[in-house]
């Protein structure tokens, strides 16, 4: 009987809920713990307690999570003492008042966000996953990063994260008179990113206007991505057909117009060139040139004849009923040159 190896299934590690702070010590004990709300002894106490006097935080054991139970608020007290004088007692009272405000904020979020409560308390997000400030500190792009109300030790409140504004002057829009500044100001486009309370993702805020008036819209990431796709498509289309800073070469012009270049086989007195073009979209164009002219003169005549054909307003009817335009004079034909109407 051949020996066999018995493999025991390894249970998958439980994924942390959105409010979990991800502390390795808590995960090692089989628990999820949120950001703590702490009450410390005042700095002037003798001796100063290194550990907080009281700590309250969200907690959920892995066993309770497996049974589908909701998280609870865990309260713990440090086994320490602190001697207080009158000044230290006043500082402790201020700390207790602040601690009470933090507890009220924690209770509000625990009841209305994490466990699910009144829908009107979460504004635009009826199924929020977490209160923003209990999960992560300010992201690197937040312009309020480092302020007391935008870090984990600050007062729990419904603040938002906001990036710095990107401002563009809109050159194609008319200037507006600013009554307060008594000066003309341009229309602007302002773009920034904000993460609102309870929202799972940030949003992009777009404002068009000036200091007197403006119009604001908010875009989700999906909408902003769709807008970016449309802009890229339109930019590619516009740049493809936009006129170049350098004028096209004669050969590029001939290829773009689909012109047929012919040369008259004999020297006709007074013949400087002749062009005929169909009036239908993409119709053929014929350009006839005198024989034995210099290359520079040849390019110049081709360029002017093609321009005259496409700018001509006088339309002629051929024998087969087709419409065409004609510029210049056919070789050997009497009479004045036919010139395109440039109006």
């Amino acid at each position: 009987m051949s020996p066999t190896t018995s493999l025991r299934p390894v249970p998958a590690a439980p994924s942390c809920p959105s409010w979990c702070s991800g502390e390795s010590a808590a995960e090692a004990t089989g628990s999820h713990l949120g950001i703590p709300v702490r009450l410390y002894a005042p700095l002037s106490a003798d001796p100063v307690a290194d550990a907080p006097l009281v700590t309250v935080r969200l907690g959920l054991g892995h066993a309770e999570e497996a049974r589908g139970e909701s998280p609870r608020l865990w309260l713990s007290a440090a086994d320490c003492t602190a001697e207080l004088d009158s000044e230290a007692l006043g500082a402790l009272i201020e700390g207790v008042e602040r601690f009470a405000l933090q507890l009220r904020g924690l209770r509000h979020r625990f009841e209305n966000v994490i466990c699910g409560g009144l829908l009107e308390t979460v504004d635009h997000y009826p199924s929020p996953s977490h209160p923003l400030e209990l999960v992560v500190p300010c992201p690197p792009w937040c312009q309020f990063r480092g302020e007391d109300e935008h870090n984990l030790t600050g007062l729990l409140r419904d603040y938002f994260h906001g990036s710095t504004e990107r401002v563009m002057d809109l050159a194609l829009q008319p200037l507006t008179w600013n009554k307060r500044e008594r000066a003309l100001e341009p229309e602007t486009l302002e773009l920034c990113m904000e993460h609102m309370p309870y929202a799972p993702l940030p949003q992009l805020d777009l404002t068009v206007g000036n200091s007197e008036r403006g119009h604001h819209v908010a875009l989700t990431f999906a909408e902003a991505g769709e807008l970016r796709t449309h802009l890229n498509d339109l930019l590619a289309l516009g740049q493809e057909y936009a006129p170049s800073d350098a004028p096209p070469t004669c050969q590029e012009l001939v290829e773009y117009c689909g012109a047929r270049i012919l040369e008259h086989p004999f020297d006709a007195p007074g013949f400087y060139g002749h062009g005929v073009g169909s009036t239908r979209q993409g119709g053929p164009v014929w350009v006839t040139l005198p024989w034995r002219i210099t290359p520079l003169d040849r390019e110049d005549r081709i360029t002017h004849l093609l321009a005259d054909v496409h700018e001509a307003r006088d339309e002629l009817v051929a024998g087969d009923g087709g419409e065409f335009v004609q510029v210049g004079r056919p070789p050997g034909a009497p009479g004045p040159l036919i010139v395109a109407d440039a109006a």
Side-chain angles (χ1 to χ4, degrees):
M1 183 174 181
S2 61
T4 59
T5 302
S6 176
L7 298 179
R8 295 184 178 181
V10 178
S15 59
C16 286
S18 56
W19 50 263
C20 181
S21 61
E23 296 180 9
S24 57
E27 294 300 318
T29 60
S31 303
H32 300 298
L33 292 178
I35 299 299
V37 175
R38 298 186 176 101
L39 172 63
Y40 286 93
L43 295 178
S44 56
D46 185 23
V48 176
D50 294 332
L53 301 177
V54 179
T55 300
V56 181
R57 64 198 313 182
L58 288 166
L60 177 64
H62 291 173
E64 290 81 3
E65 182 183 20
R67 292 195 296 266
E69 298 182 10
S70 300
R72 298 179 177 84
L73 293 171
W74 291 5
L75 182 145
S76 58
D79 185 13
C80 62
T81 59
E83 299 178 9
L84 308 178
D85 55 17
S86 177
E87 181 179 356
L89 179 59
L92 180 62
I93 292 174
E94 293 180 0
V96 171
E97 292 174 347
R98 181 178 177 85
F99 182 66
L101 288 176
Q102 291 177 313
L103 287 182
R104 292 193 186 101
L106 181 60
R107 182 180 63 180
H108 168 75
R109 285 153 182 80
F110 174 72
E111 294 176 350
N112 294 293
V113 179
I114 296 176
C115 292
L118 300 177
L119 296 182
E120 59 266 22
T121 61
V122 295
D123 195 17
H124 299 294
Y125 299 96
S127 301
S129 58
H130 58 271
L132 185 64
E133 60 276 19
L134 287 182
V135 179
V136 293
C138 269
W141 50 264
C142 182
Q143 62 175 318
F144 308 108
R145 186 180 177 91
E147 297 185 8
D148 290 341
E149 295 180 355
H150 275 243
N151 58 52
L152 297 179
T153 61
L155 178 64
L156 297 178
R157 55 184 298 177
D158 291 340
Y159 68 84
F160 65 94
H161 298 311
S163 68
T164 55
E165 291 81 8
R166 320 287 177 89
V167 182
M168 297 169 44
D169 290 345
L170 303 178
L172 298 182
Q173 302 302 313
L175 299 177
T176 303
W177 179 255
N178 188 322
K179 298 179 181 178
R180 294 188 299 271
E181 301 294 335
R182 300 184 62 82
L184 291 172
E185 66 176 6
E187 293 276 312
T188 60
L189 186 150
E190 297 182 6
L191 182 65
C192 69
M193 184 166 61
E194 293 181 338
H195 198 161
M196 307 305 293
Y198 311 113
L201 289 173
Q203 66 187 36
L204 297 179
D205 288 356
L206 183 66
T207 302
V208 177
N210 49 53
S211 59
E212 296 293 328
R213 57 179 175 82
H215 182 70
H216 169 265
V217 293
L219 302 176
T220 65
F221 276 11
E223 293 167 341
E226 184 178 355
L227 175 62
R228 176 177 59 184
T229 300
H230 293 324
L231 287 175
N232 288 338
D233 292 343
L234 293 175
L235 286 173
L237 291 175
Q239 291 171 351
E240 180 180 356
Y241 295 99
S244 173
D245 294 337
T249 64
C250 180
Q251 185 60 33
E252 290 174 340
L253 190 60
V254 168
E255 293 175 356
Y256 178 79
C257 297
R260 285 80 161 173
I261 307 300
L262 307 174
E263 291 185 354
H264 199 269
F266 59 89
D267 296 328
F271 174 54
Y272 295 98
H274 176 244
V276 178
S278 173
T279 60
R280 70 179 186 270
Q281 181 69 25
V285 178
W286 288 271
V287 173
T288 306
L289 302 172
W291 192 31
R292 294 178 180 175
I293 59 176
T294 64
L296 185 60
D297 193 15
R298 174 189 172 91
E299 291 192 0
D300 183 65
R301 295 193 187 193
I302 290 176
T303 302
H304 283 84
L305 286 171
L306 288 177
D308 289 343
V309 167
H310 286 281
E311 293 177 1
R313 298 296 183 267
D314 295 333
E315 297 179 357
L316 306 176
V317 178
D320 59 357
E323 297 180 347
F324 64 96
V325 294
Q326 178 178 250
V327 295
R329 185 175 59 192
L337 294 176
I338 302 174
V339 182
D341 181 10

